Amino acid sequence: MTTSPRVDLVAAPTPLHALPTLTAERGGPRVLVKREDLAGIGGGGNKLRKLEYVLARAVATGADTIVTIGAHESNHVRATAAAAARHGLACIGLLVDETGVAPTPNGGNRFLASLFGARLVHLPRGTDYEAALAGAAAEVRAAGRVPFVVPAGGSTAEGCLGARDLAVELGGQLRELGVEPSRIVLATGTGGTLAGLAAGADSLPGRPVLHGVSVGAPRARQRARVEARLHTLVDLLPDLDVVRALDRVVIDDAQIGPGYGVPTEASCAAVSRLARREGLLLDPIYTGKAMAGLLAEIEAGRVRPGEVVVFVHTGGAPSLPAYQDHFGRAPAGGQGEHAT
Ligand SMILES: *Cc1c(COP(=O)(O)O)cnc(C)c1O
């Protein structure tokens, strides 16, 4: 185990439950959902487990201001803003235009991040993340304060360590249920969550494949990203066998569509379907793409009836207001029908 310091953010264990309608409709695999979207404060999501170790490191360095970065509708910036608020730290969130599409005024995460007290700075498409973070940190220092920089997605070695806790917790829950899943399906972006799961994969009964549905990068690049994260994790877990961990990982790049941050027809269909059949909220950028990937695997017969699959719900629903126009709803202030 590890002795890395950790602050408390996650209401662990998060629930693990069945999606009965989905299973019945497909006459097929038993799908369990691991509810990381319910992981405690700030709208939940997979970033909170990372932030437990990342913020502990920040506090240990004497920082008083967290500086981080993400896309316009970043779940990571929103979660970091909440976590910083909880631990009495200021937070600056740099929000980069990643899609070239003007953000709607209904931004969900942007609204919430400012509600949590973060100062948000909007930056144009093509912004160099490292340079922007360094510049913002220098400004904090010039103001006599102490910055701590958290890179996009919080996927430092400490961040990946948090995702490894998820594997250990999930492994315990699966053992208690007496099930051995054939796959764990999840969205993969900066790769930290998948790397952490892979690092903890020996805790999962049944040797499941870790099926990462890429939300932006093609297969080879995403795999290299996960591998790089695993190598940084060796600093904290010297016994980690990177080759063995990576061997569990499969990258699926069939759901990216036009690119990161852009909803697809399949991701929106998955969001609508899970909302209508299970009352479960996904988002069209991460979990909708991951669920679309799982549904495609079931459709193609690559996941068989009788198998057990775990879908890791990594969060993201707080971004939904920003994408409402993709769901056939009239924009606010448009010609929509009024209820009264
Ligand atoms: C950040 C995020 C991911 C991807 O996690 P990584 O560790 O960056 O790969 C998946 N789902 C949601 C909802 C996220 O916000």
Side-chain angles (χ1 to χ4, degrees), residues 46-47 50 75 155 187-193 283 286 314-316:
N46 62 334
K47 302 309 181 300
K50 299 178 178 184
N75 297 303
S155 289
T188 181
T190 64
T193 305
D283 77 290
Y286 290 101
T314 47

PDB file of all heavy atoms in Angstrom, residues 46-47 50 75 155 187-193 283 286 314-316, ligand 1:
ATOM      1  N   ASN A  46     -15.337  11.507 -11.315  1.00  0.00           N
ATOM      2  CA  ASN A  46     -14.078  10.794 -11.089  1.00  0.00           C
ATOM      3  C   ASN A  46     -12.945  11.704 -10.617  1.00  0.00           C
ATOM      4  O   ASN A  46     -11.929  11.211 -10.138  1.00  0.00           O
ATOM      5  CB  ASN A  46     -13.653  10.046 -12.364  1.00  0.00           C
ATOM      6  CG  ASN A  46     -13.388  10.974 -13.537  1.00  0.00           C
ATOM      7  OD1 ASN A  46     -13.929  12.078 -13.615  1.00  0.00           O
ATOM      8  ND2 ASN A  46     -12.546  10.543 -14.457  1.00  0.00           N
ATOM      9  N   LYS A  47     -13.071  13.015 -10.749  1.00  0.00           N
ATOM     10  CA  LYS A  47     -11.973  13.889 -10.353  1.00  0.00           C
ATOM     11  C   LYS A  47     -11.780  13.948  -8.837  1.00  0.00           C
ATOM     12  O   LYS A  47     -10.692  14.272  -8.360  1.00  0.00           O
ATOM     13  CB  LYS A  47     -12.185  15.306 -10.908  1.00  0.00           C
ATOM     14  CG  LYS A  47     -12.322  15.371 -12.429  1.00  0.00           C
ATOM     15  CD  LYS A  47     -11.201  14.633 -13.137  1.00  0.00           C
ATOM     16  CE  LYS A  47     -11.258  14.679 -14.661  1.00  0.00           C
ATOM     17  NZ  LYS A  47     -12.446  14.105 -15.272  1.00  0.00           N
ATOM     18  N   LYS A  50      -9.064  11.660  -7.410  1.00  0.00           N
ATOM     19  CA  LYS A  50      -7.737  12.195  -7.731  1.00  0.00           C
ATOM     20  C   LYS A  50      -7.396  13.345  -6.794  1.00  0.00           C
ATOM     21  O   LYS A  50      -6.283  13.445  -6.271  1.00  0.00           O
ATOM     22  CB  LYS A  50      -7.729  12.713  -9.163  1.00  0.00           C
ATOM     23  CG  LYS A  50      -8.017  11.672 -10.237  1.00  0.00           C
ATOM     24  CD  LYS A  50      -8.023  12.372 -11.591  1.00  0.00           C
ATOM     25  CE  LYS A  50      -8.257  11.405 -12.745  1.00  0.00           C
ATOM     26  NZ  LYS A  50      -8.164  12.090 -14.034  1.00  0.00           N
ATOM     27  N   ASN A  75     -15.430  19.355 -16.233  1.00  0.00           N
ATOM     28  CA  ASN A  75     -15.852  18.765 -14.958  1.00  0.00           C
ATOM     29  C   ASN A  75     -14.733  18.881 -13.935  1.00  0.00           C
ATOM     30  O   ASN A  75     -14.975  19.050 -12.748  1.00  0.00           O
ATOM     31  CB  ASN A  75     -16.193  17.282 -15.146  1.00  0.00           C
ATOM     32  CG  ASN A  75     -17.358  17.083 -16.086  1.00  0.00           C
ATOM     33  OD1 ASN A  75     -18.437  17.615 -15.868  1.00  0.00           O
ATOM     34  ND2 ASN A  75     -17.142  16.324 -17.154  1.00  0.00           N
ATOM     35  N   SER A 155      -4.469  14.593 -13.583  1.00  0.00           N
ATOM     36  CA  SER A 155      -3.835  13.279 -13.766  1.00  0.00           C
ATOM     37  C   SER A 155      -2.338  13.282 -13.489  1.00  0.00           C
ATOM     38  O   SER A 155      -1.531  12.854 -14.302  1.00  0.00           O
ATOM     39  CB  SER A 155      -4.125  12.750 -15.176  1.00  0.00           C
ATOM     40  OG  SER A 155      -5.475  12.388 -15.279  1.00  0.00           O
ATOM     41  N   ALA A 187     -15.127   5.927 -19.755  1.00  0.00           N
ATOM     42  CA  ALA A 187     -14.608   6.961 -20.655  1.00  0.00           C
ATOM     43  C   ALA A 187     -13.157   7.255 -20.289  1.00  0.00           C
ATOM     44  O   ALA A 187     -12.798   7.252 -19.111  1.00  0.00           O
ATOM     45  CB  ALA A 187     -15.444   8.234 -20.514  1.00  0.00           C
ATOM     46  N   THR A 188     -12.326   7.497 -21.300  1.00  0.00           N
ATOM     47  CA  THR A 188     -10.935   7.871 -21.015  1.00  0.00           C
ATOM     48  C   THR A 188     -10.553   9.133 -21.781  1.00  0.00           C
ATOM     49  O   THR A 188     -10.787   9.240 -22.977  1.00  0.00           O
ATOM     50  CB  THR A 188      -9.963   6.696 -21.270  1.00  0.00           C
ATOM     51  OG1 THR A 188      -8.625   7.124 -20.951  1.00  0.00           O
ATOM     52  CG2 THR A 188      -9.998   6.196 -22.707  1.00  0.00           C
ATOM     53  N   GLY A 189     -10.020  10.104 -21.003  1.00  0.00           N
ATOM     54  CA  GLY A 189      -9.657  11.407 -21.570  1.00  0.00           C
ATOM     55  C   GLY A 189      -8.173  11.670 -21.386  1.00  0.00           C
ATOM     56  O   GLY A 189      -7.354  11.368 -22.252  1.00  0.00           O
ATOM     57  N   THR A 190      -7.791  12.221 -20.221  1.00  0.00           N
ATOM     58  CA  THR A 190      -6.364  12.409 -19.964  1.00  0.00           C
ATOM     59  C   THR A 190      -5.703  11.072 -19.594  1.00  0.00           C
ATOM     60  O   THR A 190      -4.490  10.992 -19.511  1.00  0.00           O
ATOM     61  CB  THR A 190      -6.109  13.423 -18.826  1.00  0.00           C
ATOM     62  OG1 THR A 190      -6.647  12.910 -17.607  1.00  0.00           O
ATOM     63  CG2 THR A 190      -6.744  14.772 -19.135  1.00  0.00           C
ATOM     64  N   GLY A 191      -6.497  10.056 -19.355  1.00  0.00           N
ATOM     65  CA  GLY A 191      -5.959   8.707 -19.144  1.00  0.00           C
ATOM     66  C   GLY A 191      -5.639   8.356 -17.710  1.00  0.00           C
ATOM     67  O   GLY A 191      -5.269   7.216 -17.416  1.00  0.00           O
ATOM     68  N   GLY A 192      -5.781   9.313 -16.800  1.00  0.00           N
ATOM     69  CA  GLY A 192      -5.400   9.064 -15.413  1.00  0.00           C
ATOM     70  C   GLY A 192      -6.279   8.038 -14.716  1.00  0.00           C
ATOM     71  O   GLY A 192      -5.786   7.200 -13.953  1.00  0.00           O
ATOM     72  N   THR A 193      -7.575   8.103 -14.983  1.00  0.00           N
ATOM     73  CA  THR A 193      -8.490   7.172 -14.323  1.00  0.00           C
ATOM     74  C   THR A 193      -8.245   5.746 -14.797  1.00  0.00           C
ATOM     75  O   THR A 193      -8.172   4.811 -13.992  1.00  0.00           O
ATOM     76  CB  THR A 193      -9.952   7.596 -14.574  1.00  0.00           C
ATOM     77  OG1 THR A 193     -10.104   8.954 -14.142  1.00  0.00           O
ATOM     78  CG2 THR A 193     -10.936   6.708 -13.840  1.00  0.00           C
ATOM     79  N   ASP A 283     -23.686  12.218 -19.546  1.00  0.00           N
ATOM     80  CA  ASP A 283     -23.382  13.464 -20.259  1.00  0.00           C
ATOM     81  C   ASP A 283     -22.921  13.100 -21.669  1.00  0.00           C
ATOM     82  O   ASP A 283     -22.451  11.978 -21.889  1.00  0.00           O
ATOM     83  CB  ASP A 283     -22.273  14.236 -19.527  1.00  0.00           C
ATOM     84  CG  ASP A 283     -20.913  13.626 -19.796  1.00  0.00           C
ATOM     85  OD1 ASP A 283     -20.657  12.511 -19.297  1.00  0.00           O
ATOM     86  OD2 ASP A 283     -20.123  14.209 -20.554  1.00  0.00           O
ATOM     87  N   TYR A 286     -18.510  12.516 -22.170  1.00  0.00           N
ATOM     88  CA  TYR A 286     -17.738  11.414 -21.584  1.00  0.00           C
ATOM     89  C   TYR A 286     -18.593  10.148 -21.428  1.00  0.00           C
ATOM     90  O   TYR A 286     -18.421   9.176 -22.143  1.00  0.00           O
ATOM     91  CB  TYR A 286     -17.186  11.820 -20.208  1.00  0.00           C
ATOM     92  CG  TYR A 286     -16.089  12.850 -20.241  1.00  0.00           C
ATOM     93  CD1 TYR A 286     -16.339  14.186 -19.971  1.00  0.00           C
ATOM     94  CD2 TYR A 286     -14.773  12.487 -20.529  1.00  0.00           C
ATOM     95  CE1 TYR A 286     -15.336  15.139 -19.987  1.00  0.00           C
ATOM     96  CE2 TYR A 286     -13.757  13.429 -20.548  1.00  0.00           C
ATOM     97  CZ  TYR A 286     -14.046  14.754 -20.271  1.00  0.00           C
ATOM     98  OH  TYR A 286     -13.044  15.681 -20.285  1.00  0.00           O
ATOM     99  N   THR A 314     -18.398   7.991 -14.557  1.00  0.00           N
ATOM    100  CA  THR A 314     -17.365   8.922 -14.108  1.00  0.00           C
ATOM    101  C   THR A 314     -17.889  10.336 -13.854  1.00  0.00           C
ATOM    102  O   THR A 314     -17.096  11.237 -13.576  1.00  0.00           O
ATOM    103  CB  THR A 314     -16.225   8.959 -15.133  1.00  0.00           C
ATOM    104  OG1 THR A 314     -16.800   9.090 -16.443  1.00  0.00           O
ATOM    105  CG2 THR A 314     -15.387   7.682 -15.083  1.00  0.00           C
ATOM    106  N   GLY A 315     -19.209  10.535 -13.967  1.00  0.00           N
ATOM    107  CA  GLY A 315     -19.779  11.867 -13.680  1.00  0.00           C
ATOM    108  C   GLY A 315     -20.113  12.636 -14.941  1.00  0.00           C
ATOM    109  O   GLY A 315     -20.359  12.040 -15.990  1.00  0.00           O
ATOM    110  N   GLY A 316     -20.126  13.949 -14.835  1.00  0.00           N
ATOM    111  CA  GLY A 316     -20.303  14.785 -16.030  1.00  0.00           C
ATOM    112  C   GLY A 316     -21.682  15.373 -16.229  1.00  0.00           C
ATOM    113  O   GLY A 316     -21.833  16.330 -16.997  1.00  0.00           O
TER     114      GLY A 316
HETATM  115  C1  LIG B   1     -12.390  13.804 -16.734  1.00  0.00           C
HETATM  116  C2  LIG B   1     -13.511  12.861 -17.029  1.00  0.00           C
HETATM  117  C3  LIG B   1     -13.271  11.597 -17.584  1.00  0.00           C
HETATM  118  C4  LIG B   1     -11.912  11.143 -18.017  1.00  0.00           C
HETATM  119  O1  LIG B   1     -11.046  10.870 -16.972  1.00  0.00           O
HETATM  120  P1  LIG B   1      -9.470  10.856 -17.264  1.00  0.00           P
HETATM  121  O2  LIG B   1      -8.869  10.476 -15.996  1.00  0.00           O
HETATM  122  O3  LIG B   1      -9.128  12.264 -17.678  1.00  0.00           O
HETATM  123  O4  LIG B   1      -9.218   9.921 -18.379  1.00  0.00           O
HETATM  124  C5  LIG B   1     -14.332  10.737 -17.775  1.00  0.00           C
HETATM  125  N1  LIG B   1     -15.576  11.125 -17.475  1.00  0.00           N
HETATM  126  C6  LIG B   1     -15.861  12.337 -16.963  1.00  0.00           C
HETATM  127  C7  LIG B   1     -17.276  12.690 -16.682  1.00  0.00           C
HETATM  128  C8  LIG B   1     -14.836  13.244 -16.725  1.00  0.00           C
HETATM  129  O5  LIG B   1     -15.123  14.460 -16.229  1.00  0.00           O
END
